[in-house]
């Protein structure tokens, strides 16, 4: 999806030392033919990243049509994960693929890539998450790439776990990333609890999609993201009525980034250069073949200089 915010907004963020920090979602309207609204928990001023996860949009279930014209990306990987619906993907790497429930599509746009996203005619309801991963400085000019993976569902204490990135519950994803990461969908039945063995070097985020869940006895509301810092060897989740969550994790990123529109860079001037190249239709981003329509123009730059952002210590 195309990001339209210049700066992360100020939203509610509650935490105590050693506790679970709650990142409340904010509604972000996404214009254009799809007329969608999403619930965004990353980035925000209080917390820009969880590991390398730098962007989290949660949407649906909505009876809407998605039609996102070709748009650019730099310095990141996009992670598409659906619960309901089907989306057609085309990119300037020459990939034509589909995003389907329970199947990961990961696109690498290091030096530059462009892609389009259109819901298929049979898809009447869309429901899922769109996530971005910031590429570390050593790999942020990585070549274009696309990976697809349909993770099997494994059962752990009655909880269904699909690991689309990293390793958890004895399941490992073969998908390549550039920093140590975790991404998984968990479905908890009613009156259940699970204690997950996790890496103490990771920080974690739990996004509640549907139902009710507590993380270490801290309750989440639907759409909220619970953050747990490093140093934990287990992460305990429990649900009274049943729940579906997305679990994100990774080693603290340790670098400041500049995010604007669909670009991840390191300086204001770099972002300006990316925008100029997109507007000039240079070879950095290539062309998306097969999309019926024109590509998205870049929005105007904000009046002030874009500032690098990291996480609090």
């Amino acid at each position: 999806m195309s990001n339209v915010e210049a700066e992360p907004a100020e939203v509610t963020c509650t935490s105590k030392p050693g506790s679970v920090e709650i990142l409340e979602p904010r509604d972000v309207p996404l214009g254009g033919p799809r007329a969608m609204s999403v619930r965004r928990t990353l980035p925000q001023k209080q917390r820009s990243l969880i590991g390398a996860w730098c962007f989290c949009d949660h949407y649906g279930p909505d009876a809407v049509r998605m039609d996102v014209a070709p748009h650019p990306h730099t310095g990141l990987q996009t992670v598409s994960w659906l619960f309901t619906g089907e989306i057609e993907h085309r990119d300037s790497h020459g990939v034509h693929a589909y995003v389907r429930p329970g199947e990961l599509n990961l696109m690498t746009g290091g030096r530059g890539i462009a892609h389009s996203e259109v819901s298929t005619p049979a898809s009447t309801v869309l429901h899922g998450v769109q996530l971005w991963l910031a590429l570390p400085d050593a790999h942020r000019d990585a070549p274009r790439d696309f990976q697809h993976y349909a993770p099997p569902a494994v059962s752990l204490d009655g909880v269904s776990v699909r690991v689309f990135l990293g390793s958890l519950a004895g399941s490992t994803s073969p998908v390549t990333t550039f920093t140590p990461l975790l991404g998984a969908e968990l479905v908890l039945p009613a009156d259940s609890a699970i204690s997950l063995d996790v890496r103490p070097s990771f920080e974690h985020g739990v996004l509640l999609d549907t139902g009710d869940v507590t993380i270490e006895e801290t309750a989440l509301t639907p759409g909220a993201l619970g953050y747990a810092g490093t140093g934990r060897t287990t992460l305990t989740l429990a649900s009274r009525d049943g729940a579906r969550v997305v679990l994100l994790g990774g080693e603290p990123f340790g670098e400041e980034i500049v995010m604007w529109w669909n670009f991840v860079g390191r300086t204001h001037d770099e972002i300006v250069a990316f925008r100029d190249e997109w507007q000039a239709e240079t070879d950095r981003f290539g062309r998306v073949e097969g999309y019926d329509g024109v590509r998205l123009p870049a929005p105007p730059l904000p009046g002030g200089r874009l500032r690098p952002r990291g996480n609090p210590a």
Side-chain angles (χ1 to χ4, degrees):
M1 290 185 184
S2 177
N3 180 25
V4 296
E5 287 188 326
E7 293 282 349
E10 187 84 35
V11 296
T12 302
C13 175
T14 60
S15 65
K16 296 178 182 178
S19 69
V20 173
E21 181 180 280
I22 306 299
L23 308 180
E24 297 291 349
R26 62 189 183 277
D27 292 332
V28 178
L30 301 179
R34 57 183 164 154
M36 287 182 65
S37 178
V38 301
R39 297 172 291 278
R40 184 166 296 168
T41 46
L42 284 178
Q44 55 181 261
K45 288 186 177 180
Q46 294 90 337
R47 183 159 301 281
S48 297
L49 302 107
I50 297 176
W53 300 100
C54 63
F55 182 86
C56 179
D57 272 2
H58 175 223
Y59 57 93
D62 290 321
V64 297
R65 174 166 169 75
M66 177 187 290
D67 188 346
V68 186
H71 57 280
H73 288 293
T74 60
L76 56 76
Q77 292 179 298
T78 65
V79 175
S80 300
W81 186 259
L82 277 178
F83 306 123
T84 307
E86 183 180 61
I87 297 171
E88 185 177 20
H89 164 100
R90 298 177 186 269
D91 66 39
S92 57
H93 189 47
V95 174
H96 178 206
Y98 291 88
V99 186
R100 297 186 174 102
E103 300 181 10
L104 170 73
N105 278 8
L106 183 145
M107 182 184 74
T108 301
R111 185 178 185 276
I113 198 169
H115 73 132
S116 63
E117 300 159 288
V118 179
S119 55
T120 61
S123 185
T124 57
V125 174
L126 288 178
H127 185 192
V129 290
Q130 182 66 43
L131 308 160
W132 293 358
L133 292 165
L135 292 176
D137 192 64
H139 299 285
R140 64 192 185 97
D141 286 329
R144 299 168 190 162
D145 193 22
F146 183 90
Q147 299 173 76
H148 173 267
Y149 176 55
V154 299
S155 180
L156 182 65
D157 297 336
V159 174
S160 174
V161 181
R162 293 183 187 271
V163 181
F164 51 85
L165 289 179
S167 297
L168 185 72
S171 182
T172 297
S173 167
V175 175
T176 300
T177 59
F178 294 89
T179 55
L181 289 166
L182 171 64
E185 176 192 296
L186 284 72
V187 179
L188 288 78
D191 298 318
S192 65
I194 186 170
S195 185
L196 299 165
D197 292 328
V198 295
R199 294 172 62 172
S201 61
F202 277 24
E203 51 189 359
H204 293 88
V206 177
L207 174 72
L208 177 57
D209 172 46
T210 58
D212 66 277
V213 75
T214 59
I215 315 168
E216 308 294 345
E217 301 184 354
T218 298
L220 290 183
T221 55
L225 182 68
Y227 168 82
T230 59
R232 301 171 187 263
T233 57
T234 60
L235 192 66
T236 301
L237 307 179
S239 179
R240 182 192 61 211
D241 298 326
R244 178 166 56 198
V245 304
V246 175
L247 173 62
L248 307 175
E251 292 184 354
F253 193 62
E255 299 178 24
E256 289 191 330
I257 61 174
V258 177
M259 285 181 60
W260 179 79
W261 195 39
N262 301 309
F263 304 130
V264 173
R266 294 300 185 275
T267 68
H268 172 89
D269 293 339
E270 198 172 60
I271 298 295
V272 172
F274 293 154
R275 181 188 183 279
D276 288 346
E277 288 202 60
W278 174 249
Q279 294 296 88
E281 301 188 23
T282 70
D283 291 338
R284 174 183 286 273
F285 300 103
R287 292 184 177 277
V288 177
E289 302 294 340
Y291 177 80
D292 184 18
V294 299
R295 53 189 228 150
L296 282 178
L301 285 159
R305 291 183 66 83
L306 299 165
R307 296 172 293 172
R309 293 188 177 275
N311 274 340

